[in-house]
Amino acid sequence: KNEVEQSPQNLTAQEGEFITINCSYSVGISALHWLQQHPGGGIVSLFMLSSGKKKHGRLIATINIQEKHSSLHITASHPRDSAVYICAVRRGGADGLTFGKGTHLIIQP
Amino acid sequence: EAGVAQSPRYKIIEKRQSVAFWCNPISGHATLYWYQQILGQGPKLLIQFQNNGVVDDSQLPKDRFSAERLKGVDSTLKIQPAKLEDSAVYLCASSLLRADTQYFGPGTRLTVL
């Protein structure tokens, strides 16, 4: 079983819909990251969380440390949001990230 | 501010050949990471440097992979000899401090035939 599990693996939605991507992890962590990867492009860090909630534009990330669960929300989704969204955790005592497999999101106009 | 630079962007080699990748991190970033991303999977950490010292290389296949970061700036990752299963994107990332936000380069896509 992977230490970081994401759901769904694939998600297709219509422009304007509210999007939720979930991440569960099974190890103790010091931080959780949400990253975005466009086809053929590099990876961009969206959020780094250790508790609570963070918001940047239309993106919101939450984390529940007790339940070992995090969610990434996109409000008023747009076709340019189409990308792979990756959850990654930094294990306690380590610096390198352990990644989930990613959620492939497609927003149709 | 320039981002993390990597070269080459693409490389095709035959199995048993050798290959090297180069990474130039963001200026001033002390921590440098190499990740391997196999198609359809999330990246996997291969090695982490703090300045020119190795912090974590527990997942680096040391029988064929090697990496160095001379002078604590640029880094090279080498595979010798390559196997079919090494086909992947090799990502370099850097951060200002340990456990800080990581900035990723565009990656090098390696195809081993």
Side-chain angles (χ1 to χ4, degrees):
Chain A
K1 187 179 186 298
N2 293 330
E3 294 177 341
V4 181
E5 296 278 359
Q6 287 186 236
S7 64
Q9 287 187 331
N10 298 283
L11 177 58
T12 300
Q14 295 298 120
E15 183 174 358
E17 286 189 35
F18 181 81
I19 304 298
T20 296
I21 299 171
N22 296 299
C23 175
S24 297
Y25 53 92
S26 57
V27 294
I29 69 169
S30 56
L32 182 143
H33 295 245
W34 282 102
L35 307 108
Q36 181 191 58
Q37 186 171 32
H38 282 280
I43 294 175
V44 175
S45 182
L46 298 174
F47 294 104
M48 181 169 64
L49 292 163
S50 55
S51 65
K53 175 180 174 179
K54 286 191 175 180
K55 184 176 189 292
H56 181 68
R58 295 181 294 106
L59 301 178
I60 303 165
T62 64
I63 187 169
N64 185 318
I65 296 294
Q66 286 72 32
E67 295 187 1
K68 295 187 175 179
H69 180 269
S70 176
S71 293
L72 176 69
H73 306 286
I74 305 174
T75 62
S77 59
H78 190 276
R80 64 175 175 267
D81 297 327
S82 298
V84 176
Y85 291 85
I86 305 173
C87 173
V89 300
R90 191 168 68 243
R91 302 176 67 161
D95 297 338
L97 299 176
T98 300
F99 290 78
K101 290 186 177 182
T103 294
H104 190 193
L105 174 66
I106 297 174
I107 303 297
Q108 296 178 334
Chain B
E1 180 185 77
V4 176
Q6 290 187 246
S7 68
R9 290 296 309 276
Y10 305 91
K11 189 73 176 178
I12 300 174
I13 62 172
E14 295 187 348
K15 60 183 179 183
R16 290 188 289 273
Q17 285 188 321
S18 301
V19 65
F21 313 127
W22 173 82
C23 173
N24 180 235
I26 292 173
S27 178
H29 281 199
T31 311
L32 185 147
Y33 308 82
W34 282 102
Y35 292 93
Q36 180 194 57
Q37 185 175 23
I38 293 173
L39 186 65
Q41 299 183 18
K44 181 184 81 171
L45 178 68
L46 292 176
I47 190 167
Q48 176 191 345
F49 291 95
Q50 182 68 17
N51 295 309
N52 60 351
V54 175
V55 175
D56 183 356
D57 64 356
S58 57
Q59 298 191 86
L60 186 73
K62 297 180 186 64
D63 57 335
R64 297 184 300 107
F65 285 65
S66 65
E68 60 183 10
R69 192 184 183 197
L70 300 175
K71 301 180 182 178
V73 180
D74 293 3
S75 178
T76 56
L77 175 69
K78 296 179 182 177
I79 308 175
Q80 180 180 12
K83 293 185 175 181
L84 296 177
E85 58 261 35
D86 298 332
S87 294
V89 175
Y90 291 85
L91 295 161
C92 179
S94 69
S95 61
L96 183 61
L97 303 171
R98 291 179 67 169
D100 206 351
T101 297
Q102 296 181 24
Y103 296 85
F104 288 80
T108 295
R109 182 177 298 276
L110 173 67
T111 301
V112 182
L113 303 175

